[in-house]
Amino acid sequence: MTDASAPNNALHDDLAAAFQIDGWPVRGRLVRMGKAIDTILSSHDYPTPVANLLGEAAALAALVGSALKFDGRLLVQAQGDGPVRYVLADYGTDGTMRGFCRYDEGELAEAIAANPNPGAEDLLGKGVFIMTLDRGSDFERTQGMTPIEGDSLASCAEHYFVQSEQIPTKVNLAVGQITTDEGTQWRAGGALIQVIAGDESRGSTEEVWDRTRALFATLSDDELVDPTITPETLLYRLFHEDGVRLEGASELKAVCRCSRERIVTVLQSFPEDERAEMVEADGNIHANCEYCSTDYVIDPAEVGAAEVDAAAVRH
């Protein structure tokens, strides 16, 4: 048995990993994000509640996406009629991540005035939480959704797994800021546990699940985002009496897939008259990436009439 108090992974930050409690019919995953989430959130000047919501979505996407057994992407999104219209976190199975939010400034200010710490339902209103699996252009995307419920996207995810996959699940997500010699930085973390159903050989798993949930409930937001607490130490604090192993840690990094060539390809998908309407006073087309906030200035002559690559437009 290797317990988590003895580190067995080179990665201690910006990672996603599975963990196993010795002899328990429970599987878990842990995510710690430092530079990756700071890059994503610092690319925008989001108000704190909006940044927190996107941080939760990114941590959740890494938790679930890092367990996928195929090459592709997992999209975690929520959309509703509240001040935040849309939040999207995009996780690639190579560990790359990006994300963005759309929100109404006036409505958000009113919501914050009414509640300085608005939750998911306050921000998103009535709407849906969606997980989408994308295995590439050769496959149809698969999608599941559930109504937005609760104060965080963790609650939405728990309802999603129960309703869509009939798997009892507990999720803990945390987002915060720390101050270092380099300034203020964003951090995020997440943990997930799921029970394996009982059978003839295993028997009932309800008692073990109750105990696991009770221990998991003691996990604090501060522990999830504190860079001085290693993943091994965090898990050891929770499950040291029974032995816990951290397995298969993989790196997370913020990478946007936008490029000048990709923007040009997207513009080529519009009719010529619509492209003409996009030209601004300086004679160029201006485009901004919602994910990383990069501004592109495109000469209409670059767009031309080349054949559109449908796969490039999709991705």
Side-chain angles (χ1 to χ4, degrees):
M1 177 184 76
T2 302
D3 87 40
S5 64
N8 60 357
N9 288 271
L11 287 171
H12 291 296
D13 211 2
D14 284 322
L15 66 85
F19 64 85
Q20 179 64 50
I21 308 167
D22 259 26
W24 289 21
V26 175
R27 57 194 174 206
R29 299 197 69 80
L30 178 68
V31 162
R32 304 294 295 280
M33 300 179 70
K35 182 180 178 180
I37 195 63
D38 187 60
T39 299
I40 292 171
L41 298 183
S42 296
S43 296
H44 307 273
D45 188 22
Y46 290 144
T48 298
V50 178
N52 286 338
L53 189 66
L54 179 54
E56 287 185 5
L60 179 58
L63 275 176
V64 180
S66 59
L68 297 177
K69 304 301 182 184
F70 58 81
D71 292 335
R73 297 156 58 203
L74 173 73
L75 308 179
V76 170
Q77 65 194 88
Q79 56 194 62
D81 60 3
V84 178
R85 304 290 196 260
Y86 189 79
V87 57
L88 172 65
D90 181 339
Y91 171 88
T93 50
D94 58 356
T96 57
M97 301 194 67
R98 60 180 185 166
F100 72 92
C101 289
R102 295 174 186 157
Y103 65 98
D104 182 280
E105 291 186 8
E107 292 182 19
L108 180 64
E110 291 179 5
I112 295 174
N115 179 3
N117 298 298
E121 280 186 310
D122 300 319
L123 293 171
L124 291 161
K126 294 180 180 179
V128 291
F129 170 84
I130 306 168
M131 285 195 192
T132 304
L133 296 177
D134 186 345
R135 300 180 65 181
S137 56
D138 293 335
F139 299 87
E140 289 291 328
R141 288 184 174 185
T142 58
Q143 194 172 77
M145 65 180 66
T146 189
I148 294 169
E149 298 180 22
D151 291 333
S152 82
L153 293 184
S155 299
C156 296
E158 290 172 358
H159 290 300
Y160 172 88
F161 279 109
V162 170
Q163 293 182 15
S164 298
E165 303 186 21
Q166 290 77 54
I167 302 176
T169 303
K170 295 300 293 182
V171 179
N172 194 330
L173 304 172
V175 183
Q177 290 179 292
I178 61 169
T179 301
T180 69
D181 293 340
E182 299 177 359
T184 301
Q185 298 176 350
W186 286 99
R187 291 190 59 81
L192 173 152
I193 54 172
Q194 294 178 319
V195 66
I196 299 171
D199 56 27
E200 280 190 21
S201 61
R202 189 180 294 116
S204 173
T205 58
E206 289 185 13
E207 184 175 343
V208 173
W209 179 235
D210 288 342
R211 183 181 178 190
T212 308
R213 284 186 299 167
L215 292 171
F216 190 74
T218 67
L219 177 61
S220 71
D221 289 355
D222 288 343
E223 288 176 303
L224 277 173
V225 300
D226 188 339
T228 68
I229 302 175
T230 68
E232 294 85 2
T233 298
L234 188 153
L235 291 175
Y236 182 74
R237 288 180 178 181
L238 289 175
F239 305 114
H240 64 278
E241 292 184 0
D242 300 275
V244 58
R245 298 189 302 273
L246 190 70
E247 304 172 336
S250 59
E251 184 180 6
L252 302 174
K253 47 192 176 293
V255 176
C256 188
R257 293 191 299 276
C258 75
S259 67
R260 189 178 191 84
E261 293 74 19
R262 195 179 293 272
I263 296 295
V264 169
T265 299
V266 171
L267 290 172
Q268 288 168 352
S269 68
F270 289 90
E272 187 174 351
D273 58 337
E274 291 187 24
R275 294 202 303 265
E277 293 178 0
M278 298 177 190
V279 178
E280 299 189 17
D282 63 356
N284 295 304
I285 298 174
H286 292 254
N288 174 268
C289 177
E290 288 189 290
Y291 288 99
C292 66
S293 296
T294 299
D295 290 314
Y296 292 92
V297 180
I298 310 293
D299 185 334
E302 287 185 60
V303 180
E307 183 179 350
V308 175
D309 182 342
V313 172
R314 178 183 181 185
H315 294 286

